[in-house]
Short mmCIF file of all heavy atoms in Angstrom, two decimals:
data_model
loop_
_atom_site.label_atom_id
_atom_site.label_comp_id
_atom_site.label_asym_id
_atom_site.label_seq_id
_atom_site.Cartn_x
_atom_site.Cartn_y
_atom_site.Cartn_z
N PHE E 9 -151.69 24.95 -30.25
CA PHE E 9 -151.42 25.41 -28.89
C PHE E 9 -151.51 24.24 -27.91
O PHE E 9 -152.45 23.42 -27.96
CB PHE E 9 -152.41 26.51 -28.50
CG PHE E 9 -152.06 27.84 -29.10
CD1 PHE E 9 -152.49 28.20 -30.36
CD2 PHE E 9 -151.27 28.74 -28.40
CE1 PHE E 9 -152.16 29.42 -30.92
CE2 PHE E 9 -150.94 29.97 -28.94
CZ PHE E 9 -151.38 30.31 -30.20
N ILE E 20 -152.46 33.04 -23.95
CA ILE E 20 -151.73 34.24 -24.36
C ILE E 20 -150.28 34.19 -23.87
O ILE E 20 -149.37 34.70 -24.53
CB ILE E 20 -152.43 35.52 -23.85
CG1 ILE E 20 -151.87 36.75 -24.57
CG2 ILE E 20 -152.31 35.65 -22.36
CD1 ILE E 20 -152.11 36.77 -26.06
N PHE E 23 -148.57 32.20 -26.42
CA PHE E 23 -148.43 33.02 -27.63
C PHE E 23 -147.18 33.87 -27.55
O PHE E 23 -146.38 33.93 -28.50
CB PHE E 23 -149.68 33.89 -27.81
CG PHE E 23 -149.58 34.87 -28.94
CD1 PHE E 23 -149.96 34.52 -30.23
CD2 PHE E 23 -149.07 36.15 -28.73
CE1 PHE E 23 -149.86 35.43 -31.29
CE2 PHE E 23 -148.97 37.06 -29.78
CZ PHE E 23 -149.36 36.70 -31.05
N ASN E 27 -143.79 33.71 -29.84
CA ASN E 27 -143.52 34.90 -30.66
C ASN E 27 -142.88 35.97 -29.77
O ASN E 27 -143.57 36.83 -29.23
CB ASN E 27 -144.82 35.42 -31.27
CG ASN E 27 -145.56 34.36 -32.06
OD1 ASN E 27 -145.11 33.94 -33.12
ND2 ASN E 27 -146.70 33.90 -31.53
N TYR E 30 -141.38 40.86 -30.40
CA TYR E 30 -141.97 42.18 -30.24
C TYR E 30 -141.43 42.85 -28.97
O TYR E 30 -141.10 42.18 -27.99
CB TYR E 30 -143.50 42.08 -30.17
CG TYR E 30 -144.09 41.52 -31.44
CD1 TYR E 30 -144.43 40.17 -31.54
CD2 TYR E 30 -144.29 42.33 -32.55
CE1 TYR E 30 -144.95 39.65 -32.70
CE2 TYR E 30 -144.81 41.82 -33.73
CZ TYR E 30 -145.13 40.48 -33.80
OH TYR E 30 -145.63 39.96 -34.97
N ILE E 38 -150.78 44.17 -27.88
CA ILE E 38 -151.30 42.86 -28.26
C ILE E 38 -152.12 42.26 -27.12
O ILE E 38 -153.21 41.71 -27.33
CB ILE E 38 -150.14 41.92 -28.68
CG1 ILE E 38 -149.50 42.43 -29.98
CG2 ILE E 38 -150.64 40.49 -28.86
CD1 ILE E 38 -148.21 41.72 -30.36
N ALA E 41 -155.47 43.87 -26.86
CA ALA E 41 -156.41 43.37 -27.88
C ALA E 41 -156.96 42.00 -27.49
O ALA E 41 -158.16 41.72 -27.65
CB ALA E 41 -155.70 43.28 -29.24
N TRP E 42 -156.09 41.14 -26.94
CA TRP E 42 -156.52 39.81 -26.49
C TRP E 42 -157.55 39.92 -25.37
O TRP E 42 -158.57 39.23 -25.37
CB TRP E 42 -155.30 39.02 -26.06
CG TRP E 42 -155.61 37.70 -25.37
CD1 TRP E 42 -155.46 37.42 -24.05
CD2 TRP E 42 -156.11 36.51 -25.98
NE1 TRP E 42 -155.82 36.12 -23.78
CE2 TRP E 42 -156.24 35.54 -24.96
CE3 TRP E 42 -156.47 36.17 -27.28
CZ2 TRP E 42 -156.71 34.25 -25.19
CZ3 TRP E 42 -156.94 34.88 -27.52
CH2 TRP E 42 -157.05 33.94 -26.50
N LEU E 45 -160.86 40.91 -26.73
CA LEU E 45 -161.48 39.77 -27.40
C LEU E 45 -162.10 38.81 -26.39
O LEU E 45 -163.25 38.35 -26.56
CB LEU E 45 -160.43 39.04 -28.26
CG LEU E 45 -160.88 37.74 -28.93
CD1 LEU E 45 -161.91 38.02 -30.01
CD2 LEU E 45 -159.68 37.00 -29.52
N TYR E 61 -162.86 32.46 -29.26
CA TYR E 61 -161.61 33.20 -29.40
C TYR E 61 -160.47 32.38 -29.99
O TYR E 61 -159.41 32.93 -30.29
CB TYR E 61 -161.18 33.79 -28.05
CG TYR E 61 -161.15 32.79 -26.90
CD1 TYR E 61 -160.15 31.82 -26.79
CD2 TYR E 61 -162.12 32.83 -25.90
CE1 TYR E 61 -160.12 30.92 -25.74
CE2 TYR E 61 -162.09 31.94 -24.83
CZ TYR E 61 -161.10 30.98 -24.75
OH TYR E 61 -161.06 30.09 -23.71
N MET E 62 -160.65 31.06 -30.17
CA MET E 62 -159.54 30.24 -30.68
C MET E 62 -159.19 30.58 -32.13
O MET E 62 -158.02 30.60 -32.50
CB MET E 62 -159.87 28.76 -30.55
CG MET E 62 -159.80 28.22 -29.13
SD MET E 62 -158.21 28.54 -28.32
CE MET E 62 -157.08 27.65 -29.39
N HIS E 63 -160.19 30.85 -32.96
CA HIS E 63 -159.91 31.19 -34.38
C HIS E 63 -159.09 32.47 -34.50
O HIS E 63 -158.03 32.47 -35.15
CB HIS E 63 -161.20 31.28 -35.18
CG HIS E 63 -161.04 31.93 -36.52
ND1 HIS E 63 -160.31 31.35 -37.54
CD2 HIS E 63 -161.48 33.12 -37.01
CE1 HIS E 63 -160.33 32.14 -38.60
NE2 HIS E 63 -161.03 33.22 -38.30
N PRO E 64 -159.51 33.60 -33.87
CA PRO E 64 -158.65 34.80 -33.98
C PRO E 64 -157.28 34.62 -33.36
O PRO E 64 -156.31 35.24 -33.81
CB PRO E 64 -159.47 35.88 -33.26
CG PRO E 64 -160.55 35.18 -32.52
CD PRO E 64 -160.79 33.90 -33.22
N LEU E 65 -157.18 33.78 -32.32
CA LEU E 65 -155.86 33.50 -31.73
C LEU E 65 -154.96 32.81 -32.75
O LEU E 65 -153.78 33.18 -32.92
CB LEU E 65 -156.01 32.64 -30.49
CG LEU E 65 -154.70 32.10 -29.87
CD1 LEU E 65 -153.83 33.26 -29.38
CD2 LEU E 65 -154.99 31.13 -28.74
N ARG E 66 -155.50 31.83 -33.45
CA ARG E 66 -154.69 31.11 -34.45
C ARG E 66 -154.31 32.03 -35.61
O ARG E 66 -153.19 31.96 -36.14
CB ARG E 66 -155.45 29.88 -34.95
CG ARG E 66 -155.63 28.79 -33.90
CD ARG E 66 -156.14 27.51 -34.53
NE ARG E 66 -157.43 27.68 -35.19
CZ ARG E 66 -158.61 27.39 -34.68
NH1 ARG E 66 -158.68 26.90 -33.44
NH2 ARG E 66 -159.72 27.55 -35.38
N VAL E 67 -155.25 32.90 -36.03
CA VAL E 67 -154.97 33.84 -37.11
C VAL E 67 -153.85 34.80 -36.70
O VAL E 67 -152.90 35.05 -37.46
CB VAL E 67 -156.24 34.62 -37.50
CG1 VAL E 67 -155.90 35.77 -38.45
CG2 VAL E 67 -157.26 33.70 -38.16
N ALA E 68 -153.96 35.35 -35.49
CA ALA E 68 -152.92 36.26 -35.01
C ALA E 68 -151.58 35.55 -34.91
O ALA E 68 -150.52 36.14 -35.18
CB ALA E 68 -153.33 36.82 -33.64
N ASN E 69 -151.59 34.28 -34.54
CA ASN E 69 -150.34 33.52 -34.44
C ASN E 69 -149.70 33.32 -35.81
O ASN E 69 -148.47 33.39 -35.94
CB ASN E 69 -150.61 32.17 -33.78
CG ASN E 69 -149.33 31.46 -33.40
OD1 ASN E 69 -148.61 31.91 -32.52
ND2 ASN E 69 -149.04 30.36 -34.07
N ILE E 70 -150.51 33.06 -36.83
CA ILE E 70 -149.98 32.93 -38.19
C ILE E 70 -149.27 34.22 -38.59
O ILE E 70 -148.16 34.20 -39.14
CB ILE E 70 -151.11 32.62 -39.19
CG1 ILE E 70 -151.67 31.22 -38.94
CG2 ILE E 70 -150.59 32.73 -40.63
CD1 ILE E 70 -152.92 30.91 -39.76
N LEU E 71 -149.87 35.36 -38.28
CA LEU E 71 -149.28 36.65 -38.63
C LEU E 71 -148.02 36.92 -37.83
O LEU E 71 -147.02 37.39 -38.36
CB LEU E 71 -150.31 37.76 -38.38
CG LEU E 71 -151.58 37.69 -39.24
CD1 LEU E 71 -152.65 38.63 -38.70
CD2 LEU E 71 -151.27 38.02 -40.70
N ALA E 72 -148.05 36.58 -36.54
CA ALA E 72 -146.90 36.84 -35.68
C ALA E 72 -145.72 35.96 -36.05
O ALA E 72 -144.56 36.41 -35.99
CB ALA E 72 -147.29 36.62 -34.22
N GLU E 73 -145.98 34.71 -36.42
CA GLU E 73 -144.89 33.81 -36.81
C GLU E 73 -144.16 34.33 -38.04
O GLU E 73 -142.99 34.00 -38.26
CB GLU E 73 -145.43 32.41 -37.07
CG GLU E 73 -145.77 31.65 -35.80
CD GLU E 73 -146.23 30.23 -36.09
OE1 GLU E 73 -146.98 30.03 -37.07
OE2 GLU E 73 -145.83 29.33 -35.34
N ASN E 74 -144.83 35.14 -38.83
CA ASN E 74 -144.19 35.74 -39.99
C ASN E 74 -143.61 37.11 -39.69
O ASN E 74 -143.21 37.84 -40.59
CB ASN E 74 -145.20 35.86 -41.13
CG ASN E 74 -145.48 34.52 -41.80
OD1 ASN E 74 -144.73 34.09 -42.65
ND2 ASN E 74 -146.54 33.85 -41.35
N ARG E 75 -143.58 37.46 -38.38
CA ARG E 75 -142.97 38.71 -37.91
C ARG E 75 -143.61 39.94 -38.54
O ARG E 75 -142.93 40.94 -38.80
CB ARG E 75 -141.45 38.70 -38.16
CG ARG E 75 -140.74 37.62 -37.37
CD ARG E 75 -139.25 37.59 -37.66
NE ARG E 75 -138.59 36.61 -36.83
CZ ARG E 75 -137.95 36.90 -35.68
NH1 ARG E 75 -137.89 38.13 -35.25
NH2 ARG E 75 -137.37 35.95 -34.97
N LEU E 76 -144.90 39.86 -38.79
CA LEU E 76 -145.61 41.05 -39.24
C LEU E 76 -145.73 42.02 -38.07
O LEU E 76 -145.65 41.64 -36.91
CB LEU E 76 -146.98 40.67 -39.78
CG LEU E 76 -146.94 39.75 -41.01
CD1 LEU E 76 -148.33 39.41 -41.49
CD2 LEU E 76 -146.13 40.38 -42.13
N ASP E 77 -145.95 43.29 -38.37
CA ASP E 77 -145.91 44.30 -37.33
C ASP E 77 -147.06 44.13 -36.34
O ASP E 77 -148.04 43.43 -36.59
CB ASP E 77 -145.92 45.69 -37.96
CG ASP E 77 -147.25 46.00 -38.63
OD1 ASP E 77 -147.84 45.07 -39.20
OD2 ASP E 77 -147.68 47.16 -38.57
N ALA E 78 -146.93 44.81 -35.19
CA ALA E 78 -147.88 44.66 -34.09
C ALA E 78 -149.29 45.07 -34.51
O ALA E 78 -150.27 44.47 -34.05
CB ALA E 78 -147.42 45.47 -32.89
N ASP E 79 -149.43 46.08 -35.37
CA ASP E 79 -150.76 46.51 -35.82
C ASP E 79 -151.49 45.37 -36.51
O ASP E 79 -152.70 45.17 -36.31
CB ASP E 79 -150.63 47.69 -36.79
CG ASP E 79 -150.41 49.00 -36.05
OD1 ASP E 79 -150.53 49.00 -34.81
OD2 ASP E 79 -150.11 50.02 -36.71
N THR E 80 -150.77 44.61 -37.34
CA THR E 80 -151.40 43.51 -38.06
C THR E 80 -151.80 42.40 -37.10
O THR E 80 -152.88 41.79 -37.24
CB THR E 80 -150.44 42.95 -39.13
OG1 THR E 80 -149.84 44.03 -39.85
CG2 THR E 80 -151.18 42.07 -40.11
N VAL E 81 -150.95 42.11 -36.11
CA VAL E 81 -151.27 41.07 -35.13
C VAL E 81 -152.48 41.49 -34.29
O VAL E 81 -153.38 40.68 -34.03
CB VAL E 81 -150.05 40.78 -34.23
CG1 VAL E 81 -150.40 39.77 -33.15
CG2 VAL E 81 -148.89 40.27 -35.07
N VAL E 82 -152.52 42.76 -33.88
CA VAL E 82 -153.68 43.27 -33.13
C VAL E 82 -154.95 43.11 -33.97
O VAL E 82 -155.99 42.67 -33.47
CB VAL E 82 -153.45 44.75 -32.74
CG1 VAL E 82 -154.75 45.38 -32.25
CG2 VAL E 82 -152.37 44.86 -31.68
N ALA E 83 -154.85 43.46 -35.25
CA ALA E 83 -156.01 43.30 -36.14
C ALA E 83 -156.39 41.83 -36.28
O ALA E 83 -157.58 41.51 -36.42
CB ALA E 83 -155.69 43.90 -37.51
N GLY E 84 -155.40 40.93 -36.24
CA GLY E 84 -155.70 39.50 -36.29
C GLY E 84 -156.55 39.06 -35.12
O GLY E 84 -157.51 38.29 -35.27
N PHE E 85 -156.23 39.56 -33.92
CA PHE E 85 -157.04 39.24 -32.73
C PHE E 85 -158.45 39.82 -32.83
O PHE E 85 -159.43 39.20 -32.41
CB PHE E 85 -156.36 39.79 -31.47
CG PHE E 85 -155.29 38.90 -30.92
CD1 PHE E 85 -153.98 39.35 -30.80
CD2 PHE E 85 -155.57 37.61 -30.51
CE1 PHE E 85 -152.98 38.53 -30.28
CE2 PHE E 85 -154.58 36.78 -30.00
CZ PHE E 85 -153.28 37.23 -29.89
N LEU E 86 -158.55 41.02 -33.40
CA LEU E 86 -159.81 41.76 -33.34
C LEU E 86 -160.66 41.63 -34.61
O LEU E 86 -161.74 42.23 -34.67
CB LEU E 86 -159.52 43.24 -33.07
CG LEU E 86 -158.79 43.57 -31.75
CD1 LEU E 86 -158.58 45.06 -31.62
CD2 LEU E 86 -159.57 43.03 -30.56
N HIS E 87 -160.21 40.86 -35.63
CA HIS E 87 -160.94 40.91 -36.90
C HIS E 87 -162.39 40.43 -36.82
O HIS E 87 -163.20 40.82 -37.66
CB HIS E 87 -160.16 40.17 -38.00
CG HIS E 87 -160.24 38.68 -37.94
ND1 HIS E 87 -159.40 37.91 -37.17
CD2 HIS E 87 -161.05 37.81 -38.59
CE1 HIS E 87 -159.69 36.64 -37.33
NE2 HIS E 87 -160.69 36.54 -38.18
N PRO E 88 -162.81 39.59 -35.82
CA PRO E 88 -164.23 39.26 -35.77
C PRO E 88 -165.00 40.13 -34.76
O PRO E 88 -166.17 39.89 -34.51
CB PRO E 88 -164.21 37.80 -35.30
CG PRO E 88 -163.01 37.70 -34.42
CD PRO E 88 -162.03 38.72 -34.91
N LEU E 148 -152.98 40.00 -46.35
CA LEU E 148 -152.27 39.03 -45.52
C LEU E 148 -153.14 38.55 -44.36
O LEU E 148 -153.15 37.37 -44.01
CB LEU E 148 -150.98 39.65 -45.00
CG LEU E 148 -149.90 39.89 -46.06
CD1 LEU E 148 -148.76 40.71 -45.46
CD2 LEU E 148 -149.37 38.59 -46.61
N LEU E 149 -153.91 39.47 -43.78
CA LEU E 149 -154.84 39.09 -42.71
C LEU E 149 -155.96 38.23 -43.27
O LEU E 149 -156.34 37.21 -42.66
CB LEU E 149 -155.40 40.35 -42.04
CG LEU E 149 -156.50 40.15 -40.99
CD1 LEU E 149 -156.09 39.13 -39.94
CD2 LEU E 149 -156.86 41.48 -40.34
N SER E 152 -154.68 34.78 -43.97
CA SER E 152 -154.49 34.05 -42.72
C SER E 152 -155.82 33.52 -42.19
O SER E 152 -155.91 32.39 -41.69
CB SER E 152 -153.84 34.95 -41.67
OG SER E 152 -152.57 35.39 -42.11
N ASP E 153 -156.86 34.33 -42.31
CA ASP E 153 -158.20 33.90 -41.88
C ASP E 153 -158.66 32.70 -42.68
O ASP E 153 -159.14 31.70 -42.13
CB ASP E 153 -159.18 35.07 -42.05
CG ASP E 153 -160.62 34.67 -41.80
OD1 ASP E 153 -161.04 34.66 -40.63
OD2 ASP E 153 -161.33 34.32 -42.78
N ASP E 156 -156.62 29.48 -41.82
CA ASP E 156 -157.06 28.80 -40.59
C ASP E 156 -158.40 28.11 -40.79
O ASP E 156 -158.64 27.03 -40.23
CB ASP E 156 -157.17 29.81 -39.45
CG ASP E 156 -157.53 29.14 -38.13
OD1 ASP E 156 -156.69 28.39 -37.61
OD2 ASP E 156 -158.67 29.34 -37.66
#
Side-chain angles (χ1 to χ4, degrees):
F9 282 87
I20 194 63
F23 174 88
N27 305 291
Y30 298 98
I38 293 170
W42 171 252
L45 175 68
Y61 51 74
M62 286 306 298
H63 166 67
L65 172 63
R66 293 191 300 262
V67 170
N69 191 67
I70 292 172
L71 297 167
E73 284 183 320
N74 285 277
R75 296 178 177 263
L76 297 180
D77 68 324
D79 281 351
T80 315
V81 176
V82 168
F85 277 120
L86 299 181
H87 77 274
L148 290 171
L149 174 52
S152 299
D153 173 85
D156 184 68

